[in-house]
Amino acid sequence: VTGSAVGVDVGGTKVLALAVDSGATVLAERRVETPADGEELLEAVAGVVVELWEAASGSAGGAVGVGMPGLVDPTGVLRFAPNLPGVVGLDVVGGLQRRLAAARPGGSGAVVVDNDATCAGAAEHLAGAARGVSDAILVTLGTGIGGAIVSGGSLLRGANHFAGEIGHMVIDPSGPACACGGRGCWEVFASGSALGRLAREAAEAGRAEDVLARAGSAAAVRGEHVVESALAGDEQAASIFELFGYWVALGLSNLANLLDPAVVVLGGGVVRAGDVLLEPIRRAFNATVEGAAHRPEVRIVAAERGADAGAIGAALLALSAG
Amino acid sequence: VTGSAVGVDVGGTKVLALAVDSGATVLAERRVETPADGEELLEAVAGVVVELWEAASGSAGGAVGVGMPGLVDPTGVLRFAPNLPGVVGLDVVGGLQRRLAAARPGGSGAVVVDNDATCAGAAEHLAGAARGVSDAILVTLGTGIGGAIVSGGSLLRGANHFAGEIGHMVIDPSGPACACGGRGCWEVFASGSALGRLAREAAEAGRAEDVLARAGSAAAVRGEHVVESALAGDEQAASIFELFGYWVALGLSNLANLLDPAVVVLGGGVVRAGDVLLEPIRRAFNATVEGAAHRPEVRIVAAERGADAGAIGAALLALSAG
């Protein structure tokens, strides 16, 4: 696969569009806010794509990939998106094809739409930390937990392209309420947001002095403060990562028992912390995965494509679709 | 694929060997007890295979499939088997090939070894309730919970052929201890053994009169008594299935969020109960799976190949290996 494509990552609050070449290099970017209405959203996405086409003076390829935060069916219709309540049932592929065909003589090339975490996983699989790995799990610890599964060298899609919804794996049915309406989902314990909650509890209990000083008040503590504090060598921040790492590892070992990956790639802002976070996760994982002493070690590594992974992966998926 | 093969299911207490044709019809069977020692186990398995070959007067094909209760690596070495403590590191393929080559002029044909639940899943996928389904999950509710995953038309193997270990998915880290050394594994709540425990608790609390009458004493209550009682229309047994069905569904919806199957096949003795068990599971599943209102219904059905599934699937896998 050669050439270039535009990849778009639609988030709950912003839209990121990147022109990306087949080597996963970012050529140009555009950002806009995410409109609440479905038709306006399609208009905004088509707008940034056309801007990137125009900026590239025709050198950006016509293929377009879009990652959406929800369940996208194989025909490109968004079926369910908790963070975009106005857009259930939106025909993203059809709506974009219509708008883009008008803007580009000769047609727009392939338009593919997929789940945003699937796109981010594709970026790590095709051009990141899981490059060349046949069996991998790609996990993004953000507001929630997103995931993608690579099995036998390909993204695992499922019957309706809805596979990889790992954040709502229930790990404690009597646990705290989740935004999805359930209780005790993994993302309640192990997302970036959950790290912030753990850190606020530690700050309120007097067990996070450096973290508290960085945030200004216990209520203002976020996961990023723990990351900064831990990177500066603070032991209390390291203790928060020990507890957080246990919860991350609990879900990862469930996934590893099911899927037997060679590599687990962790993304999201918290992985900036590096080994001070990854080591507690690795220790807890090896203590809980089935038959740890009798199987090759599962490598647990940080993602390489950062916050651009969703848009890069969307572009790479569009390129491979032609 | 045509012809016939011998499939062997090695359990913790008994070995079942079946001569099976390519249409999954059972032609002949042999049973022996499972020796505790690895070399004796190989001797016993080779013995029943040769008996079936001799009984068929040469018409049984030379391919042999073996299902083992543990983690079997791609070279046919049993890496970890909690219920066969004497046999870790056993080279099952090599040991059987040596023994069988001597017994059959011209060699034994393919010898394949796989996890027993993977074999049972193969039987349901190739010749049972998931026939023709590209994305399915196959779950056996027995002493523990075994599983196999079909994705994109093929068994999902993972990096070391260890995928599908669904029973040790932790769903409550502060839950009861599991035989694996962990806490709150799914099989603690939703295996056939767990049904027996729920029923004993109900009997002791005076909420399972018919079940208690069938068993004779609360301590003697087993899952099969609940099945019999429920099939006879007993409402207290149906209430036990409501609670048990909740726990089964909790794990199934985790799996469905991850894997997006079109069909879930449930096996094990308890599924003899039919809809009086399956209906509570379906209700609880649809209440917990993500975006249930926005996705095609996942069909939850009973397995068709019963207790022979492991040996039948092992034979079919051997046949397709040549």
Side-chain angles (χ1 to χ4, degrees), chain B:
Chain B
V1 176
T2 57
S4 67
V6 173
V8 185
D9 187 6
V10 177
T13 56
K14 66 173 183 13
V15 174
L16 169 66
L18 301 176
V20 176
D21 71 15
S22 59
T25 301
V26 175
L27 308 173
E29 77 169 63
R30 289 292 184 281
R31 288 167 199 271
V32 290
E33 293 196 1
T34 306
D37 172 76
E39 293 301 313
E40 289 173 25
L41 174 61
L42 294 175
E43 204 64 45
V45 171
V48 287
V49 171
V50 172
E51 277 184 43
L52 285 170
W53 281 348
E54 288 172 350
S57 314
S59 72
V64 175
V66 182
M68 300 288 299
L71 303 179
V72 179
D73 76 18
T75 69
V77 175
L78 184 67
R79 289 290 173 197
F80 180 60
N83 295 318
L84 297 176
V87 298
V88 165
L90 186 69
D91 178 5
V92 182
V93 162
L96 283 178
Q97 277 173 334
R98 270 197 311 279
R99 286 169 172 83
L100 293 174
R104 194 179 174 92
S108 73
V111 176
V112 303
V113 181
D114 218 317
N115 174 265
D116 54 357
T118 302
C119 292
E124 296 296 335
H125 178 229
L126 297 170
R131 194 170 27 233
V133 178
S134 287
D135 297 275
I137 303 173
L138 311 119
V139 177
T140 304
L141 308 175
T143 307
I145 298 182
I149 298 163
V150 173
S151 170
S154 305
L155 283 168
L156 189 154
R157 299 300 196 155
N160 312 292
H161 281 206
F162 296 169
E165 293 289 315
I166 63 180
H168 298 288
M169 172 169 61
V170 174
I171 58 169
D172 182 359
S174 57
C178 178
C180 76
R183 286 199 163 274
C185 297
W186 187 31
E187 69 178 43
V188 173
F189 299 95
S191 61
S193 314
L195 174 63
R197 199 194 68 225
L198 286 177
R200 284 191 291 281
E201 289 168 5
E204 283 160 8
R207 291 182 282 101
E209 289 171 35
D210 185 72
V211 169
L212 183 56
R214 287 169 194 273
S217 73
V221 167
R222 297 287 176 275
E224 65 205 62
H225 301 116
V226 187
V227 173
E228 289 162 17
S229 209
L231 285 172
D234 181 62
E235 301 231 337
Q236 289 179 320
S239 294
I240 295 169
F241 273 152
E242 282 289 331
L243 179 56
F244 178 66
Y246 162 81
W247 289 109
V248 174
L250 185 65
L252 293 184
S253 59
N254 278 354
L255 295 173
N257 287 338
L258 295 173
L259 301 165
D260 183 24
V263 173
V264 171
V265 178
L266 291 180
V270 299
V271 302
R272 277 199 305 123
D275 279 345
V276 68
L277 170 61
L278 294 175
E279 277 301 322
I281 293 173
R282 291 174 185 133
R283 278 197 302 275
F285 176 88
N286 286 319
T288 51
V289 71
E290 191 186 345
H294 306 282
R295 64 199 293 161
E297 192 178 6
V298 179
R299 289 196 300 122
I300 299 177
V301 301
E304 294 178 359
R305 309 306 311 205
D308 289 349
I312 291 172
L316 296 178
L317 288 174
L319 269 179
S320 34

Side-chain angles (χ1 to χ4, degrees), chain A residues 6-278:
Chain A
V6 173
V8 185
D9 188 6
V10 176
T13 58
K14 66 173 183 13
V15 174
L16 169 65
L18 301 175
V20 176
D21 72 13
S22 58
T25 301
V26 175
L27 308 173
E29 76 169 62
R30 289 293 184 281
R31 288 168 198 271
V32 290
E33 293 196 358
T34 306
D37 172 76
E39 293 302 313
E40 288 173 26
L41 173 60
L42 294 175
E43 203 66 44
V45 171
V48 288
V49 171
V50 171
E51 277 184 43
L52 285 170
W53 282 347
E54 288 172 351
S57 312
S59 73
V64 175
V66 182
M68 300 288 299
L71 303 178
V72 179
D73 76 17
T75 69
V77 174
L78 183 67
R79 289 290 173 198
F80 181 59
N83 295 317
L84 297 176
V87 299
V88 165
L90 186 69
D91 178 5
V92 183
V93 161
L96 284 178
Q97 277 173 332
R98 270 197 312 279
R99 285 167 173 85
L100 294 173
R104 192 178 177 93
S108 73
V111 176
V112 304
V113 181
D114 219 317
N115 175 267
D116 54 358
T118 302
C119 292
E124 296 297 335
H125 177 230
L126 297 170
R131 195 172 25 235
V133 178
S134 287
D135 297 274
I137 303 173
L138 311 120
V139 178
T140 304
L141 308 175
T143 308
I145 298 181
I149 299 162
V150 173
S151 169
S154 306
L155 283 167
L156 188 155
R157 300 300 197 153
N160 313 291
H161 281 207
F162 295 169
E165 292 289 315
I166 64 180
H168 298 288
M169 172 169 61
V170 174
I171 59 169
D172 181 0
S174 57
C178 178
C180 76
R183 285 198 165 274
C185 297
W186 187 31
E187 68 177 44
V188 173
F189 299 96
S191 62
S193 314
L195 174 63
R197 199 193 67 226
L198 286 176
R200 283 191 292 282
E201 289 169 4
E204 283 160 7
R207 290 181 283 102
E209 290 170 36
D210 185 73
V211 169
L212 183 56
R214 287 169 194 273
S217 74
V221 167
R222 297 285 177 275
E224 65 206 63
H225 301 116
V226 188
V227 172
E228 289 162 18
S229 210
L231 285 173
D234 182 63
E235 301 231 338
Q236 289 179 321
S239 294
I240 295 169
F241 273 153
E242 282 289 332
L243 178 57
F244 179 65
Y246 162 81
W247 289 109
V248 174
L250 184 65
L252 293 184
S253 59
N254 278 356
L255 295 173
N257 287 339
L258 295 173
L259 300 165
D260 183 24
V263 174
V264 171
V265 178
L266 290 181
V270 299
V271 303
R272 276 198 305 123
D275 279 345
V276 68
L277 171 61
L278 293 175

